Amino acid sequence: EVNVSSGITEAVETVDGAVVSIINLQENNFNSWSSYYGIEENSEEFTQAGSGSGAVYKIEGDRAYIFTNNHVVDGSDAVEVLLQDGNRVPAEVEGEDVWTDLAVLSIDAEHVDVAIEFGNSESLTVGEPAIAIGSPLGTEFASSVTSGIISGIGRTVPVDTNNDGEYDWEMTAIQTDAAINPGNSGGPLINIAGQVVGINSMKISSDTVEGMGFAIPSNDAVDIINQLEQNGEVIRPYLGITMIDLAYIPSSQRTSELNLPEDVVDGIVITRVANNTSASNAGLEPSDVIVGFDGETVSN
């Protein structure tokens, strides 16, 4: 016998039982011409349209709450959770947020007895161990574990929420080289103590790229998850401007067109102001430059 216990095995053991698979079910659309042409219809009301990962983060009363990615449950007519013991149980979608790609589900608490613990993503160090757990490529590979390191923190990743080819949002993310594959979405990225420091969300998929996965930092996710659990949605203020980084403006234009002092090198430039918004009501206009907001410096 060989003693194979390590920090990684101990961390995985800590969260064992809390990590689950999420199954997106959609209604079967039966057409009248199917029976006319003798095509046998599936007797099942729902079929599996996709799957992802998630984890139980709280057990309260008779409900157990699970986080996952919004895109895992998007478009579903019903959702099921595949537990580690192989049982599939119905889940209720408590809330979804397309912008942060987070969703909260709940199941009957009698099915689980372990909840995962959130860690502090602000204390992460580049190079420390990172462990991803989930269901890559589907439920047949449920509870797969991959490991690597924290490759970067505070990364800005553009996100296209409606698949129209234009970026709608910039997500702040943790970069890791722990293997994240389709199906890992919504699963936890844990540290060596078995705490969730990120929620796996995406990877760069290209023949020329290897080992670039991204996770939503736990400190960002917790606030969103709490709002989804309590309100079913995230309520956001709306400033009402379109903007670009000042860094993208040539230095000659900063002085000639924006009339900026030479020592102003950071900030954002307003390119458009929407009508009847906080920005328009306050008198902000295109070509205004914002260098501070509520006492905080704005650099980009």
Side-chain angles (χ1 to χ4, degrees):
E1 293 185 12
V2 178
N3 182 4
V4 296
S5 62
S6 66
I8 291 178
T9 59
E10 292 173 3
V12 172
E13 186 177 0
T14 299
V15 302
D16 193 38
V19 182
V20 298
S21 299
I22 312 297
I23 301 169
N24 182 320
L25 300 173
Q26 296 182 10
E27 289 184 353
N28 285 313
N29 294 317
F30 299 142
N31 298 309
S32 58
W33 56 263
S34 299
S35 57
Y36 179 81
Y37 285 103
I39 299 175
E40 184 177 352
E41 296 176 350
N42 190 333
S43 61
E44 297 292 333
E45 181 182 0
F46 299 106
T47 56
Q48 180 171 327
S51 64
S53 306
V56 177
Y57 69 89
K58 183 170 78 171
I59 303 173
E60 185 174 85
D62 61 352
R63 305 299 290 175
Y65 295 89
I66 297 168
F67 64 69
T68 187
N69 280 152
N70 172 71
H71 75 260
V72 171
V73 297
D74 187 39
S76 63
D77 296 305
V79 177
E80 288 185 343
V81 169
L82 175 65
L83 304 173
Q84 199 172 68
D85 61 9
N87 287 325
R88 288 172 61 151
V89 298
E92 180 178 340
V93 179
E94 299 288 344
E96 303 171 77
D97 184 55
V98 65
W99 297 107
T100 55
D101 196 22
L102 288 171
V104 170
L105 316 177
S106 69
I107 61 173
D108 196 310
E110 69 174 1
H111 300 296
V112 294
D113 54 14
V114 179
I116 209 161
E117 177 186 349
F118 285 105
N120 182 8
S121 57
E122 291 293 327
S123 65
L124 288 174
T125 302
V126 173
E128 74 170 89
I131 307 159
I133 309 177
S135 307
L137 304 184
T139 55
E140 61 268 34
F141 297 108
S143 300
S144 292
V145 178
T146 58
S147 68
I149 61 171
I150 299 295
S151 305
I153 54 179
R155 301 299 200 202
T156 299
V157 183
V159 179
D160 178 7
T161 59
N162 55 6
N163 298 313
D164 64 354
E166 295 186 7
Y167 295 134
D168 305 299
W169 183 260
E170 286 188 342
M171 183 178 77
T172 300
I174 299 166
Q175 181 185 337
T176 180
D177 67 348
I180 296 176
N181 293 290
N184 274 117
S185 295
L189 184 72
I190 65 174
N191 61 15
I192 204 68
Q195 300 171 320
V196 181
V197 293
I199 298 177
N200 300 320
S201 185
M202 68 184 76
K203 65 177 290 186
I204 294 179
S205 181
S206 169
D207 293 338
T208 59
V209 176
E210 183 175 347
M212 291 188 68
F214 297 93
I216 303 164
S218 59
N219 288 24
D220 294 345
V222 167
D223 180 56
I224 300 298
I225 287 169
N226 287 337
Q227 291 188 61
L228 292 176
E229 180 188 325
Q230 295 168 14
N231 307 319
E233 62 179 347
V234 178
I235 300 171
R236 293 184 172 89
Y238 178 56
L239 183 58
I241 64 172
T242 303
M243 54 192 162
I244 61 172
D245 285 357
L246 180 60
Y248 294 149
I249 305 297
S251 56
S252 59
Q253 293 183 11
R254 297 179 193 177
T255 54
S256 64
E257 297 183 18
L258 299 178
N259 298 316
L260 290 177
E262 292 184 358
D263 59 347
V264 177
V265 295
D266 293 318
I268 63 102
V269 181
I270 297 175
T271 58
R272 187 178 67 85
V273 177
N275 294 327
N276 301 316
T277 61
S278 298
S280 63
N281 293 338
L284 293 178
E285 298 177 348
S287 296
D288 283 349
V289 178
I290 297 177
V291 296
F293 195 101
D294 195 28
E296 299 290 335
T297 299
V298 172
S299 58
N300 55 46

